Amino acid sequence: MIFDLQRFDDPPSGTVGTGGTKPQNPNYPGTGGTGESTLFSRGNGTEFEPYLISTAADLQALATYVNNGNTCEGKNFKLTANIDLSTITNWTPIGTFSGTFDGNGKTISNAKIDANAKNCGLFGAIYGGTVKNLTLKDFNVTDQSYNYDVNTLGALVGKANNATIENITMSGINVKNTLTGSRVGGLVGYSNGSISIEYVIVSGTTIESISSDMIGGLVGRVGTATINNCYVVTKISGGSKVGAILGGHLGGNFEFDNNYYYSNIAAYGSIDKNYVNDTKKFYYPVQLVPLGQGESYNGTILKIGENSYGIPSDDNNIDIPKNKVEDVQTLITPTEKLGDYTFIYRNGTYIIDNTGDFLNFAAYAKNNNCEGLKFRQTANVDLSGKDFTTITGFKGTYDGGSKLIVSSSVIFSGSTGTISYAYCCGTNSNGFTRVYKLNVPENVTVSGAKKFNNKYYAQSGATITISDFTGAKLFLTMLLQVLKKTATITFWRKLETTRL
């Protein structure tokens, strides 16, 4: 069945598709302007071939590209080396970023950020983006005298909305606020949308403020938020709503669990109690007990940065033998062997975070039914061209995390285990929801479909909305009906059909 999307107006000069030309955007790669292809010599920005950043110059190139109005939505970046910013007199924040920045376990150090900008940090703002697996060390962040309505200040990012921040380690961070009405955090200054912050270590951080409205050792102010599994050691002075972890929460659903802190102040400044009750996952952070060098403690001891802290026995939710010193870094990225393969292991679940992890899982499951084991997929997986054999007789639990697997082979067959939130493209598979690739012109926006490697995928019965590359909304929705394994989209005069 084919649905013809009638156009509201004519497309710009040049046609989209075969025989046509792309819009002449000076920042679009390949059109003669300065685009990603000229800024980053390695990678293509996809999840499996991200743009690689290995020098301070590469990082500056990213900042310049973003600050020229490119949000990098759908683009992926990966650090391949530690980066020292000490040769840069004053770091210019990476403006409004909407892509994925994978620190790859590397460190960015010695940054001086004294920017005349509304949002100050390594990143100015993160809207709909992800930053993960990154260490920040020895940062000095200060706001300049230019006073916006609300200034935001944080070592990682000033302002973050609809953002995901995970597996971040910070040490030697100094944040100084000199303006009134600011939102200041050790990690993030301000979020008035939604934000997820998990598995973060903050040690040896100081924050000074003359008159900031909200200050937090982790975050200054949040709305809808998830803050879990964070360890914060900080010293804060000044401010009206101040907390070791959170300065202020002003409405929005709030999940707050398994967080630990040591500071000169309480864990948080203010919480909107209307969004916190027994049905929500809100647990007061645990205040740690500082220990001297070599001091014994009848309980769990955590090493955060260079110092050790005890967990009061009544608040100990970490399964560590008494008197054993556990570096919290191992709790942020805990690993577990499964046969010959090593996985990140959290809350009794093996994490599948890339295609290699999935292939290792498949290799293990080839000779094991995985009964009693739990797996969770946290990233899209592309098995195209990979040596993969259908997994048969699976008896474990597989949470697809609403991510996608692209494969020409059946993923599971004959499974009696639990498979949920799992999507595949290319073939039907036991327990998976099948999706179909939509062939649409480049540089259009499609909502209601999954985006993966700059391609869109939707399941049968999905409702999708398409916007053209000029940004003018068509406000057309269509019910995607898949008959005879065919998904079809007509956009303006161009018809493309994908048969899988």
Side-chain angles (χ1 to χ4, degrees), residues 78-118:
K78 185 176 183 178
L79 284 188
T80 59
N82 297 328
I83 294 179
D84 184 344
L85 297 179
S86 60
T87 59
I88 298 174
T89 303
N90 190 5
W91 173 257
T92 299
I94 301 169
T96 300
F97 180 76
S98 301
T100 296
F101 188 94
D102 183 356
N104 192 31
K106 306 301 182 183
T107 299
I108 298 176
S109 61
N110 299 312
K112 180 183 177 183
I113 306 171
D114 188 8
N116 185 12
K118 181 176 181 179

Side-chain angles (χ1 to χ4, degrees), residues 4 18 50 93 160 253 257 424 451:
D4 188 6
T18 305
N253 292 330
D257 189 23
C424 65
K451 188 176 183 180

